[in-house]
Amino acid sequence: MTRLIPRLVIGLTAVHFAVALIASSTFGDVARDGFWNAVPGNPQREYEMWFFLAGFGLLALGTLSQRIARDTGRLPAQLGWYLLAIGVPLQILYPVSGAPGLIVLGVLALIAARRDRAGASRPTHVDN
């Protein structure tokens, strides 16, 4: 699970970006308006741009935790806490959203980190 969780976070990020690009008309409108200062003052554009840009934070969590798991063999518990810190308020504020995915991945990350920590503290038996 240690190596799977970061991949699932990256996969969720891909879905997040796809939804942002497919369900949005903002990017075309912003391009037609010349990009510069084309978002402020338009609530729909602001919402959709922040939704898209938030995906990079999720991507960072996935790729950094993937690197840590590869380098140390352990998944950092912080990943689970961060995912829950994003997912729980999001579920409350926007019940119809991707929040359940974040919450499930957060719980799985905490379980994996706990197992990793328990495995690392267990003494290994060596026969002489």
Side-chain angles (χ1 to χ4, degrees):
M1 228 172 29
T2 296
R3 292 186 182 238
L4 178 63
I5 301 292
R7 290 181 186 144
L8 292 173
V9 173
I10 293 167
L12 186 59
T13 302
V15 171
H16 190 272
F17 282 139
V19 167
L21 294 172
I22 293 168
S24 170
S25 63
T26 294
F27 297 102
D29 294 341
V30 168
R32 278 188 289 285
D33 287 347
F35 294 103
W36 181 258
N37 205 29
V39 173
N42 184 319
Q44 184 64 29
R45 287 184 186 185
E46 290 173 351
Y47 167 79
E48 290 180 10
M49 292 306 286
W50 277 113
F51 179 85
F52 176 74
L53 294 173
F56 286 103
L58 191 56
L59 181 62
L61 287 175
T63 56
L64 290 171
S65 61
Q66 184 177 47
R67 177 66 180 262
I68 291 168
R70 183 175 48 239
D71 290 351
T72 67
R74 297 173 61 186
L75 191 65
Q78 289 93 333
L79 174 64
W81 292 116
Y82 292 150
L83 292 171
L84 288 173
I86 298 166
V88 170
L90 185 62
Q91 181 64 43
I92 294 166
L93 296 170
Y94 294 100
V96 179
S97 68
L102 292 169
I103 294 168
V104 168
L105 287 176
V107 169
L108 290 175
L110 288 173
I111 291 168
R114 185 179 179 108
R115 286 182 182 165
D116 289 347
R117 195 170 50 249
S121 66
R122 229 179 268 135
T124 57
H125 178 68
V126 178
D127 287 328
N128 290 328

